[in-house]
Amino acid sequence: MSPTLKQRPPFRAEHLGSLLRPDDLLDIRHKIDKGEKGLEKDLKAVEETAIKEIVKTQIDLGFHPISDGEYCRHMFWGTFFPGLDGFEEITNPEVEMFRNYVPDIGAFLEAGHKPGETVICTGKIKHVGSTYVDQWNHLKNLLPKDRQHEAKLTLAAPNWYHLRYRTGRAYPKDVYSNDEDYFADIAAAYRAELKILYDNGLRNAQFDDPNLAYFCSEKMLAGFKADGEDADKLLDSYIKLYNDCLRDRPADMHVGVHLCRGNFVGSRHFSEGGYDAIASKLFRDLNVDTYYLEYDTPRAGGFEPLKQLPKGKSAILGLITSKFPKLEDLAEMKKRVYQAAELVAEGSGETKEEALSRLGVSPQCGFASHSDGNAVKREDMINKLTLVRKLANEIWPNQP
């Protein structure tokens, strides 16, 4: 049976959550990072002003899935894992614990850098309080009540601190004897988190998951093969992990997952490869409503995998790059959306118009997955978001 299609959210014009920070916010964060003391109160005031301004900017540009720009975070995933019992942030971890063929890890090691910090499991995992709910409530309270259900909160992927570690290094063997037991407690923590967020009014959640896109990387898959490990089986376990995280979510909670191939400081990406290798499992087995898909360059492949998108699910096409300032051609972007719709229709047996009703457009990723941001300026970001909104208006007039 096909899943029930959710609409509004998702919207025709979307963005992926992270937005460029203003200079005063970056300045005070850099001072704190360098060890200056007594700035926490000032930081909170600057954050609140910046969030209020970026919320107004999004509304003025005609967007409905309003975010806080991730302005209270250093990295896009926030502090969910360090906030759990059983996880600890460490500095200067030993290089041998990492899978050096996971794209982001490999990119740093090949450049002569070793990871400066990471989060590891040190004990039994338990949810002991939300690190997201205060961010959500602050955002929610900046919006009128009739728009609060539209606002978006981005979440860390549940597999985030598993893929990067070699087998046997993701958790202590005297705490968890296998991945299944480890994943069960991760899923329980996410169910607790999602319930808290739902009870506080969240209805639009987006997981940010480069790891799933990494399974499109031939280089990473070759690394697994050389290690004698089964990448397909691991992908299956991650999909089951997601589904266990989401098994209790209420019917009126929209959940999407965003896949990208890296979006680090200076607009750096980490991997390449189309969705072909994972499309069937991704679109058919993962129990989410919407897929936010990177499609701004050939490194993400073509639209053929969208034939696997079943009725009842939506795809947001990330056609507009957030990495560089040059604006895409509107006519060419419209053409690409219609090409995608034709393939969705071919795979599902729908008309092109029916397929179009399950699509939207967005930048391919956020503008500041790392707080320092991409190689674009605020004006560039505004121009990109304006183009997204204009593209959506041309294809789906009078739809949010």
Side-chain angles (χ1 to χ4, degrees), residues 57-92:
T57 296
Q58 293 169 77
I59 293 172
D60 290 347
L61 289 171
F63 282 81
H64 284 253
I66 304 300
S67 82
D68 65 359
E70 300 178 359
Y71 281 5
C72 296
R73 307 180 192 181
H74 172 61
M75 294 293 294
F76 67 89
W77 56 79
T79 56
F80 176 75
F81 282 95
L84 300 175
D85 267 4
F87 276 97
E88 180 182 339
E89 186 169 2
I90 62 171
T91 57
N92 299 315

PDB file of all heavy atoms in Angstrom, residues 57-92:
ATOM      1  N   THR A  57      13.534  37.762   7.046  1.00  0.00           N
ATOM      2  CA  THR A  57      14.052  37.672   5.684  1.00  0.00           C
ATOM      3  C   THR A  57      13.375  36.544   4.921  1.00  0.00           C
ATOM      4  O   THR A  57      12.958  36.712   3.759  1.00  0.00           O
ATOM      5  CB  THR A  57      15.576  37.450   5.709  1.00  0.00           C
ATOM      6  OG1 THR A  57      16.204  38.584   6.303  1.00  0.00           O
ATOM      7  CG2 THR A  57      16.121  37.249   4.295  1.00  0.00           C
ATOM      8  N   GLN A  58      13.264  35.383   5.543  1.00  0.00           N
ATOM      9  CA  GLN A  58      12.636  34.247   4.876  1.00  0.00           C
ATOM     10  C   GLN A  58      11.170  34.535   4.540  1.00  0.00           C
ATOM     11  O   GLN A  58      10.694  34.205   3.443  1.00  0.00           O
ATOM     12  CB  GLN A  58      12.734  33.001   5.756  1.00  0.00           C
ATOM     13  CG  GLN A  58      14.134  32.475   5.948  1.00  0.00           C
ATOM     14  CD  GLN A  58      14.188  31.426   7.036  1.00  0.00           C
ATOM     15  OE1 GLN A  58      13.806  30.278   6.826  1.00  0.00           O
ATOM     16  NE2 GLN A  58      14.660  31.817   8.219  1.00  0.00           N
ATOM     17  N   ILE A  59      10.466  35.133   5.479  1.00  0.00           N
ATOM     18  CA  ILE A  59       9.061  35.471   5.233  1.00  0.00           C
ATOM     19  C   ILE A  59       8.948  36.475   4.099  1.00  0.00           C
ATOM     20  O   ILE A  59       8.107  36.331   3.186  1.00  0.00           O
ATOM     21  CB  ILE A  59       8.410  36.013   6.521  1.00  0.00           C
ATOM     22  CG1 ILE A  59       8.315  34.898   7.571  1.00  0.00           C
ATOM     23  CG2 ILE A  59       7.032  36.587   6.230  1.00  0.00           C
ATOM     24  CD1 ILE A  59       7.871  35.359   8.933  1.00  0.00           C
ATOM     25  N   ASP A  60       9.814  37.492   4.103  1.00  0.00           N
ATOM     26  CA  ASP A  60       9.777  38.515   3.048  1.00  0.00           C
ATOM     27  C   ASP A  60      10.074  37.913   1.676  1.00  0.00           C
ATOM     28  O   ASP A  60       9.559  38.398   0.656  1.00  0.00           O
ATOM     29  CB  ASP A  60      10.795  39.620   3.348  1.00  0.00           C
ATOM     30  CG  ASP A  60      10.398  40.487   4.529  1.00  0.00           C
ATOM     31  OD1 ASP A  60       9.239  40.404   4.967  1.00  0.00           O
ATOM     32  OD2 ASP A  60      11.269  41.230   5.028  1.00  0.00           O
ATOM     33  N   LEU A  61      10.882  36.852   1.622  1.00  0.00           N
ATOM     34  CA  LEU A  61      11.216  36.203   0.356  1.00  0.00           C
ATOM     35  C   LEU A  61      10.136  35.234  -0.108  1.00  0.00           C
ATOM     36  O   LEU A  61      10.233  34.679  -1.206  1.00  0.00           O
ATOM     37  CB  LEU A  61      12.547  35.459   0.482  1.00  0.00           C
ATOM     38  CG  LEU A  61      13.794  36.341   0.584  1.00  0.00           C
ATOM     39  CD1 LEU A  61      15.012  35.498   0.936  1.00  0.00           C
ATOM     40  CD2 LEU A  61      14.037  37.099  -0.714  1.00  0.00           C
ATOM     41  N   GLY A  62       9.124  35.007   0.724  1.00  0.00           N
ATOM     42  CA  GLY A  62       8.016  34.155   0.323  1.00  0.00           C
ATOM     43  C   GLY A  62       8.169  32.698   0.691  1.00  0.00           C
ATOM     44  O   GLY A  62       7.465  31.841   0.142  1.00  0.00           O
ATOM     45  N   PHE A  63       9.057  32.385   1.650  1.00  0.00           N
ATOM     46  CA  PHE A  63       9.235  30.997   2.064  1.00  0.00           C
ATOM     47  C   PHE A  63       8.303  30.654   3.220  1.00  0.00           C
ATOM     48  O   PHE A  63       7.994  31.497   4.058  1.00  0.00           O
ATOM     49  CB  PHE A  63      10.688  30.736   2.469  1.00  0.00           C
ATOM     50  CG  PHE A  63      11.609  30.557   1.299  1.00  0.00           C
ATOM     51  CD1 PHE A  63      12.117  31.662   0.621  1.00  0.00           C
ATOM     52  CD2 PHE A  63      11.930  29.298   0.832  1.00  0.00           C
ATOM     53  CE1 PHE A  63      12.948  31.506  -0.475  1.00  0.00           C
ATOM     54  CE2 PHE A  63      12.764  29.130  -0.268  1.00  0.00           C
ATOM     55  CZ  PHE A  63      13.268  30.236  -0.922  1.00  0.00           C
ATOM     56  N   HIS A  64       7.892  29.391   3.253  1.00  0.00           N
ATOM     57  CA  HIS A  64       7.020  28.914   4.327  1.00  0.00           C
ATOM     58  C   HIS A  64       7.724  27.992   5.312  1.00  0.00           C
ATOM     59  O   HIS A  64       7.422  28.064   6.508  1.00  0.00           O
ATOM     60  CB  HIS A  64       5.767  28.246   3.739  1.00  0.00           C
ATOM     61  CG  HIS A  64       4.790  29.235   3.215  1.00  0.00           C
ATOM     62  ND1 HIS A  64       3.595  29.540   3.844  1.00  0.00           N
ATOM     63  CD2 HIS A  64       4.832  30.022   2.112  1.00  0.00           C
ATOM     64  CE1 HIS A  64       2.953  30.466   3.153  1.00  0.00           C
ATOM     65  NE2 HIS A  64       3.681  30.773   2.093  1.00  0.00           N
ATOM     66  N   PRO A  65       8.627  27.105   4.899  1.00  0.00           N
ATOM     67  CA  PRO A  65       9.329  26.263   5.873  1.00  0.00           C
ATOM     68  C   PRO A  65      10.448  27.045   6.557  1.00  0.00           C
ATOM     69  O   PRO A  65      11.636  26.873   6.278  1.00  0.00           O
ATOM     70  CB  PRO A  65       9.868  25.113   5.010  1.00  0.00           C
ATOM     71  CG  PRO A  65      10.089  25.736   3.668  1.00  0.00           C
ATOM     72  CD  PRO A  65       8.995  26.756   3.507  1.00  0.00           C
ATOM     73  N   ILE A  66      10.048  27.917   7.474  1.00  0.00           N
ATOM     74  CA  ILE A  66      10.989  28.839   8.115  1.00  0.00           C
ATOM     75  C   ILE A  66      11.900  28.077   9.081  1.00  0.00           C
ATOM     76  O   ILE A  66      11.452  27.233   9.851  1.00  0.00           O
ATOM     77  CB  ILE A  66      10.222  29.925   8.887  1.00  0.00           C
ATOM     78  CG1 ILE A  66       9.230  30.669   7.961  1.00  0.00           C
ATOM     79  CG2 ILE A  66      11.188  30.908   9.541  1.00  0.00           C
ATOM     80  CD1 ILE A  66       9.872  31.364   6.796  1.00  0.00           C
ATOM     81  N   SER A  67      13.191  28.389   9.032  1.00  0.00           N
ATOM     82  CA  SER A  67      14.141  27.839  10.001  1.00  0.00           C
ATOM     83  C   SER A  67      14.783  28.984  10.780  1.00  0.00           C
ATOM     84  O   SER A  67      14.610  30.159  10.440  1.00  0.00           O
ATOM     85  CB  SER A  67      15.228  27.020   9.294  1.00  0.00           C
ATOM     86  OG  SER A  67      16.249  27.862   8.791  1.00  0.00           O
ATOM     87  N   ASP A  68      15.546  28.614  11.802  1.00  0.00           N
ATOM     88  CA  ASP A  68      16.297  29.635  12.555  1.00  0.00           C
ATOM     89  C   ASP A  68      17.687  29.840  11.971  1.00  0.00           C
ATOM     90  O   ASP A  68      18.531  30.498  12.573  1.00  0.00           O
ATOM     91  CB  ASP A  68      16.375  29.281  14.033  1.00  0.00           C
ATOM     92  CG  ASP A  68      17.162  28.005  14.319  1.00  0.00           C
ATOM     93  OD1 ASP A  68      17.639  27.365  13.353  1.00  0.00           O
ATOM     94  OD2 ASP A  68      17.300  27.640  15.503  1.00  0.00           O
ATOM     95  N   GLY A  69      17.920  29.279  10.759  1.00  0.00           N
ATOM     96  CA  GLY A  69      19.215  29.396  10.115  1.00  0.00           C
ATOM     97  C   GLY A  69      20.294  28.516  10.738  1.00  0.00           C
ATOM     98  O   GLY A  69      21.444  28.558  10.320  1.00  0.00           O
ATOM     99  N   GLU A  70      19.901  27.738  11.775  1.00  0.00           N
ATOM    100  CA  GLU A  70      20.853  26.953  12.577  1.00  0.00           C
ATOM    101  C   GLU A  70      21.864  27.860  13.277  1.00  0.00           C
ATOM    102  O   GLU A  70      23.019  27.491  13.512  1.00  0.00           O
ATOM    103  CB  GLU A  70      21.548  25.876  11.732  1.00  0.00           C
ATOM    104  CG  GLU A  70      20.568  24.880  11.119  1.00  0.00           C
ATOM    105  CD  GLU A  70      21.217  23.824  10.236  1.00  0.00           C
ATOM    106  OE1 GLU A  70      22.453  23.858  10.073  1.00  0.00           O
ATOM    107  OE2 GLU A  70      20.491  22.969   9.705  1.00  0.00           O
ATOM    108  N   TYR A  71      21.411  29.053  13.641  1.00  0.00           N
ATOM    109  CA  TYR A  71      22.307  30.070  14.185  1.00  0.00           C
ATOM    110  C   TYR A  71      22.846  29.740  15.575  1.00  0.00           C
ATOM    111  O   TYR A  71      23.823  30.352  16.017  1.00  0.00           O
ATOM    112  CB  TYR A  71      21.584  31.418  14.222  1.00  0.00           C
ATOM    113  CG  TYR A  71      21.521  32.136  12.887  1.00  0.00           C
ATOM    114  CD1 TYR A  71      21.991  31.541  11.714  1.00  0.00           C
ATOM    115  CD2 TYR A  71      20.989  33.420  12.795  1.00  0.00           C
ATOM    116  CE1 TYR A  71      21.924  32.197  10.503  1.00  0.00           C
ATOM    117  CE2 TYR A  71      20.936  34.094  11.583  1.00  0.00           C
ATOM    118  CZ  TYR A  71      21.396  33.481  10.442  1.00  0.00           C
ATOM    119  OH  TYR A  71      21.334  34.139   9.240  1.00  0.00           O
ATOM    120  N   CYS A  72      22.217  28.790  16.277  1.00  0.00           N
ATOM    121  CA  CYS A  72      22.713  28.418  17.606  1.00  0.00           C
ATOM    122  C   CYS A  72      23.677  27.233  17.549  1.00  0.00           C
ATOM    123  O   CYS A  72      24.093  26.728  18.593  1.00  0.00           O
ATOM    124  CB  CYS A  72      21.537  28.069  18.521  1.00  0.00           C
ATOM    125  SG  CYS A  72      20.423  29.463  18.830  1.00  0.00           S
ATOM    126  N   ARG A  73      24.027  26.803  16.334  1.00  0.00           N
ATOM    127  CA  ARG A  73      24.870  25.617  16.166  1.00  0.00           C
ATOM    128  C   ARG A  73      26.204  25.996  15.524  1.00  0.00           C
ATOM    129  O   ARG A  73      26.270  26.920  14.722  1.00  0.00           O
ATOM    130  CB  ARG A  73      24.179  24.572  15.294  1.00  0.00           C
ATOM    131  CG  ARG A  73      22.785  24.195  15.766  1.00  0.00           C
ATOM    132  CD  ARG A  73      22.159  23.149  14.869  1.00  0.00           C
ATOM    133  NE  ARG A  73      20.740  22.993  15.132  1.00  0.00           N
ATOM    134  CZ  ARG A  73      19.947  22.129  14.515  1.00  0.00           C
ATOM    135  NH1 ARG A  73      20.463  21.315  13.595  1.00  0.00           N
ATOM    136  NH2 ARG A  73      18.665  22.065  14.805  1.00  0.00           N
ATOM    137  N   HIS A  74      27.226  25.211  15.854  1.00  0.00           N
ATOM    138  CA  HIS A  74      28.516  25.342  15.186  1.00  0.00           C
ATOM    139  C   HIS A  74      28.507  24.546  13.882  1.00  0.00           C
ATOM    140  O   HIS A  74      28.955  25.030  12.838  1.00  0.00           O
ATOM    141  CB  HIS A  74      29.632  24.850  16.096  1.00  0.00           C
ATOM    142  CG  HIS A  74      30.977  24.772  15.433  1.00  0.00           C
ATOM    143  ND1 HIS A  74      31.600  25.887  14.898  1.00  0.00           N
ATOM    144  CD2 HIS A  74      31.809  23.723  15.187  1.00  0.00           C
ATOM    145  CE1 HIS A  74      32.762  25.528  14.365  1.00  0.00           C
ATOM    146  NE2 HIS A  74      32.904  24.223  14.509  1.00  0.00           N
ATOM    147  N   MET A  75      27.982  23.312  13.932  1.00  0.00           N
ATOM    148  CA  MET A  75      27.834  22.460  12.761  1.00  0.00           C
ATOM    149  C   MET A  75      26.369  22.093  12.600  1.00  0.00           C
ATOM    150  O   MET A  75      25.585  22.176  13.547  1.00  0.00           O
ATOM    151  CB  MET A  75      28.678  21.192  12.902  1.00  0.00           C
ATOM    152  CG  MET A  75      30.172  21.439  12.923  1.00  0.00           C
ATOM    153  SD  MET A  75      30.824  22.056  11.347  1.00  0.00           S
ATOM    154  CE  MET A  75      30.538  20.651  10.267  1.00  0.00           C
ATOM    155  N   PHE A  76      26.014  21.635  11.411  1.00  0.00           N
ATOM    156  CA  PHE A  76      24.607  21.433  11.094  1.00  0.00           C
ATOM    157  C   PHE A  76      23.924  20.415  11.997  1.00  0.00           C
ATOM    158  O   PHE A  76      22.715  20.472  12.201  1.00  0.00           O
ATOM    159  CB  PHE A  76      24.442  21.038   9.618  1.00  0.00           C
ATOM    160  CG  PHE A  76      25.000  19.682   9.252  1.00  0.00           C
ATOM    161  CD1 PHE A  76      24.223  18.536   9.356  1.00  0.00           C
ATOM    162  CD2 PHE A  76      26.303  19.559   8.770  1.00  0.00           C
ATOM    163  CE1 PHE A  76      24.729  17.290   9.014  1.00  0.00           C
ATOM    164  CE2 PHE A  76      26.821  18.320   8.420  1.00  0.00           C
ATOM    165  CZ  PHE A  76      26.038  17.179   8.542  1.00  0.00           C
ATOM    166  N   TRP A  77      24.688  19.458  12.562  1.00  0.00           N
ATOM    167  CA  TRP A  77      24.033  18.399  13.328  1.00  0.00           C
ATOM    168  C   TRP A  77      23.726  18.789  14.767  1.00  0.00           C
ATOM    169  O   TRP A  77      23.043  18.073  15.484  1.00  0.00           O
ATOM    170  CB  TRP A  77      24.864  17.121  13.295  1.00  0.00           C
ATOM    171  CG  TRP A  77      26.271  17.269  13.783  1.00  0.00           C
ATOM    172  CD1 TRP A  77      26.699  17.315  15.073  1.00  0.00           C
ATOM    173  CD2 TRP A  77      27.458  17.373  12.983  1.00  0.00           C
ATOM    174  NE1 TRP A  77      28.069  17.444  15.134  1.00  0.00           N
ATOM    175  CE2 TRP A  77      28.565  17.465  13.857  1.00  0.00           C
ATOM    176  CE3 TRP A  77      27.693  17.369  11.598  1.00  0.00           C
ATOM    177  CZ2 TRP A  77      29.879  17.584  13.405  1.00  0.00           C
ATOM    178  CZ3 TRP A  77      29.002  17.480  11.157  1.00  0.00           C
ATOM    179  CH2 TRP A  77      30.070  17.590  12.039  1.00  0.00           C
ATOM    180  N   GLY A  78      24.235  19.918  15.220  1.00  0.00           N
ATOM    181  CA  GLY A  78      23.911  20.357  16.568  1.00  0.00           C
ATOM    182  C   GLY A  78      24.570  19.503  17.637  1.00  0.00           C
ATOM    183  O   GLY A  78      25.641  18.931  17.435  1.00  0.00           O
ATOM    184  N   THR A  79      23.907  19.369  18.780  1.00  0.00           N
ATOM    185  CA  THR A  79      24.522  18.712  19.937  1.00  0.00           C
ATOM    186  C   THR A  79      23.674  17.553  20.449  1.00  0.00           C
ATOM    187  O   THR A  79      23.709  17.227  21.641  1.00  0.00           O
ATOM    188  CB  THR A  79      24.740  19.727  21.074  1.00  0.00           C
ATOM    189  OG1 THR A  79      23.490  20.350  21.397  1.00  0.00           O
ATOM    190  CG2 THR A  79      25.751  20.780  20.675  1.00  0.00           C
ATOM    191  N   PHE A  80      22.923  16.915  19.553  1.00  0.00           N
ATOM    192  CA  PHE A  80      22.062  15.818  20.008  1.00  0.00           C
ATOM    193  C   PHE A  80      22.866  14.704  20.659  1.00  0.00           C
ATOM    194  O   PHE A  80      22.574  14.269  21.776  1.00  0.00           O
ATOM    195  CB  PHE A  80      21.253  15.259  18.835  1.00  0.00           C
ATOM    196  CG  PHE A  80      20.407  14.073  19.201  1.00  0.00           C
ATOM    197  CD1 PHE A  80      19.237  14.233  19.920  1.00  0.00           C
ATOM    198  CD2 PHE A  80      20.790  12.779  18.844  1.00  0.00           C
ATOM    199  CE1 PHE A  80      18.457  13.131  20.284  1.00  0.00           C
ATOM    200  CE2 PHE A  80      20.018  11.680  19.191  1.00  0.00           C
ATOM    201  CZ  PHE A  80      18.854  11.860  19.917  1.00  0.00           C
ATOM    202  N   PHE A  81      23.899  14.216  19.984  1.00  0.00           N
ATOM    203  CA  PHE A  81      24.649  13.067  20.511  1.00  0.00           C
ATOM    204  C   PHE A  81      25.408  13.392  21.797  1.00  0.00           C
ATOM    205  O   PHE A  81      25.341  12.609  22.763  1.00  0.00           O
ATOM    206  CB  PHE A  81      25.574  12.499  19.431  1.00  0.00           C
ATOM    207  CG  PHE A  81      24.851  11.646  18.431  1.00  0.00           C
ATOM    208  CD1 PHE A  81      24.395  12.177  17.240  1.00  0.00           C
ATOM    209  CD2 PHE A  81      24.604  10.308  18.688  1.00  0.00           C
ATOM    210  CE1 PHE A  81      23.711  11.394  16.316  1.00  0.00           C
ATOM    211  CE2 PHE A  81      23.928   9.509  17.784  1.00  0.00           C
ATOM    212  CZ  PHE A  81      23.484  10.045  16.591  1.00  0.00           C
ATOM    213  N   PRO A  82      26.140  14.501  21.873  1.00  0.00           N
ATOM    214  CA  PRO A  82      26.800  14.800  23.153  1.00  0.00           C
ATOM    215  C   PRO A  82      25.809  15.002  24.293  1.00  0.00           C
ATOM    216  O   PRO A  82      26.186  14.884  25.465  1.00  0.00           O
ATOM    217  CB  PRO A  82      27.577  16.095  22.862  1.00  0.00           C
ATOM    218  CG  PRO A  82      27.737  16.128  21.390  1.00  0.00           C
ATOM    219  CD  PRO A  82      26.515  15.470  20.830  1.00  0.00           C
ATOM    220  N   GLY A  83      24.550  15.305  23.961  1.00  0.00           N
ATOM    221  CA  GLY A  83      23.540  15.510  24.988  1.00  0.00           C
ATOM    222  C   GLY A  83      22.935  14.229  25.539  1.00  0.00           C
ATOM    223  O   GLY A  83      22.138  14.270  26.480  1.00  0.00           O
ATOM    224  N   LEU A  84      23.305  13.091  24.957  1.00  0.00           N
ATOM    225  CA  LEU A  84      22.809  11.807  25.442  1.00  0.00           C
ATOM    226  C   LEU A  84      23.741  11.240  26.498  1.00  0.00           C
ATOM    227  O   LEU A  84      24.966  11.385  26.411  1.00  0.00           O
ATOM    228  CB  LEU A  84      22.712  10.800  24.292  1.00  0.00           C
ATOM    229  CG  LEU A  84      21.803  11.136  23.108  1.00  0.00           C
ATOM    230  CD1 LEU A  84      21.954  10.078  22.022  1.00  0.00           C
ATOM    231  CD2 LEU A  84      20.349  11.250  23.557  1.00  0.00           C
ATOM    232  N   ASP A  85      23.183  10.570  27.489  1.00  0.00           N
ATOM    233  CA  ASP A  85      24.022   9.738  28.352  1.00  0.00           C
ATOM    234  C   ASP A  85      24.655   8.655  27.495  1.00  0.00           C
ATOM    235  O   ASP A  85      23.999   8.057  26.633  1.00  0.00           O
ATOM    236  CB  ASP A  85      23.173   9.086  29.448  1.00  0.00           C
ATOM    237  CG  ASP A  85      23.141   9.901  30.728  1.00  0.00           C
ATOM    238  OD1 ASP A  85      23.721  11.002  30.745  1.00  0.00           O
ATOM    239  OD2 ASP A  85      22.498   9.448  31.696  1.00  0.00           O
ATOM    240  N   GLY A  86      25.927   8.385  27.730  1.00  0.00           N
ATOM    241  CA  GLY A  86      26.595   7.325  26.986  1.00  0.00           C
ATOM    242  C   GLY A  86      27.432   7.812  25.827  1.00  0.00           C
ATOM    243  O   GLY A  86      28.092   7.007  25.170  1.00  0.00           O
ATOM    244  N   PHE A  87      27.412   9.125  25.554  1.00  0.00           N
ATOM    245  CA  PHE A  87      28.275   9.691  24.510  1.00  0.00           C
ATOM    246  C   PHE A  87      29.168  10.754  25.119  1.00  0.00           C
ATOM    247  O   PHE A  87      28.779  11.458  26.050  1.00  0.00           O
ATOM    248  CB  PHE A  87      27.456  10.306  23.374  1.00  0.00           C
ATOM    249  CG  PHE A  87      27.019   9.315  22.341  1.00  0.00           C
ATOM    250  CD1 PHE A  87      25.751   8.750  22.388  1.00  0.00           C
ATOM    251  CD2 PHE A  87      27.873   8.928  21.315  1.00  0.00           C
ATOM    252  CE1 PHE A  87      25.342   7.832  21.441  1.00  0.00           C
ATOM    253  CE2 PHE A  87      27.481   8.007  20.360  1.00  0.00           C
ATOM    254  CZ  PHE A  87      26.207   7.461  20.413  1.00  0.00           C
ATOM    255  N   GLU A  88      30.348  10.883  24.540  1.00  0.00           N
ATOM    256  CA  GLU A  88      31.326  11.851  25.046  1.00  0.00           C
ATOM    257  C   GLU A  88      32.085  12.452  23.869  1.00  0.00           C
ATOM    258  O   GLU A  88      32.506  11.728  22.959  1.00  0.00           O
ATOM    259  CB  GLU A  88      32.296  11.160  25.993  1.00  0.00           C
ATOM    260  CG  GLU A  88      33.361  12.066  26.578  1.00  0.00           C
ATOM    261  CD  GLU A  88      34.325  11.304  27.468  1.00  0.00           C
ATOM    262  OE1 GLU A  88      33.973  10.205  27.949  1.00  0.00           O
ATOM    263  OE2 GLU A  88      35.457  11.811  27.668  1.00  0.00           O
ATOM    264  N   GLU A  89      32.249  13.762  23.885  1.00  0.00           N
ATOM    265  CA  GLU A  89      33.068  14.422  22.868  1.00  0.00           C
ATOM    266  C   GLU A  89      34.530  14.358  23.296  1.00  0.00           C
ATOM    267  O   GLU A  89      34.869  14.700  24.429  1.00  0.00           O
ATOM    268  CB  GLU A  89      32.639  15.876  22.684  1.00  0.00           C
ATOM    269  CG  GLU A  89      33.351  16.567  21.535  1.00  0.00           C
ATOM    270  CD  GLU A  89      32.743  17.914  21.175  1.00  0.00           C
ATOM    271  OE1 GLU A  89      31.789  18.346  21.845  1.00  0.00           O
ATOM    272  OE2 GLU A  89      33.227  18.531  20.214  1.00  0.00           O
ATOM    273  N   ILE A  90      35.390  13.911  22.385  1.00  0.00           N
ATOM    274  CA  ILE A  90      36.809  13.799  22.691  1.00  0.00           C
ATOM    275  C   ILE A  90      37.613  14.600  21.672  1.00  0.00           C
ATOM    276  O   ILE A  90      37.156  14.836  20.551  1.00  0.00           O
ATOM    277  CB  ILE A  90      37.291  12.333  22.700  1.00  0.00           C
ATOM    278  CG1 ILE A  90      37.115  11.691  21.308  1.00  0.00           C
ATOM    279  CG2 ILE A  90      36.562  11.534  23.765  1.00  0.00           C
ATOM    280  CD1 ILE A  90      37.753  10.319  21.183  1.00  0.00           C
ATOM    281  N   THR A  91      38.799  15.020  22.063  1.00  0.00           N
ATOM    282  CA  THR A  91      39.700  15.728  21.156  1.00  0.00           C
ATOM    283  C   THR A  91      40.892  14.834  20.823  1.00  0.00           C
ATOM    284  O   THR A  91      41.247  13.933  21.582  1.00  0.00           O
ATOM    285  CB  THR A  91      40.189  17.039  21.785  1.00  0.00           C
ATOM    286  OG1 THR A  91      40.828  16.743  23.032  1.00  0.00           O
ATOM    287  CG2 THR A  91      39.017  17.986  22.025  1.00  0.00           C
ATOM    288  N   ASN A  92      41.472  15.105  19.660  1.00  0.00           N
ATOM    289  CA  ASN A  92      42.646  14.367  19.177  1.00  0.00           C
ATOM    290  C   ASN A  92      42.451  12.838  19.208  1.00  0.00           C
ATOM    291  O   ASN A  92      43.251  12.103  19.792  1.00  0.00           O
ATOM    292  CB  ASN A  92      43.890  14.745  19.986  1.00  0.00           C
ATOM    293  CG  ASN A  92      44.222  16.210  19.857  1.00  0.00           C
ATOM    294  OD1 ASN A  92      44.196  16.763  18.753  1.00  0.00           O
ATOM    295  ND2 ASN A  92      44.513  16.850  20.976  1.00  0.00           N
TER     296      ASN A  92
END
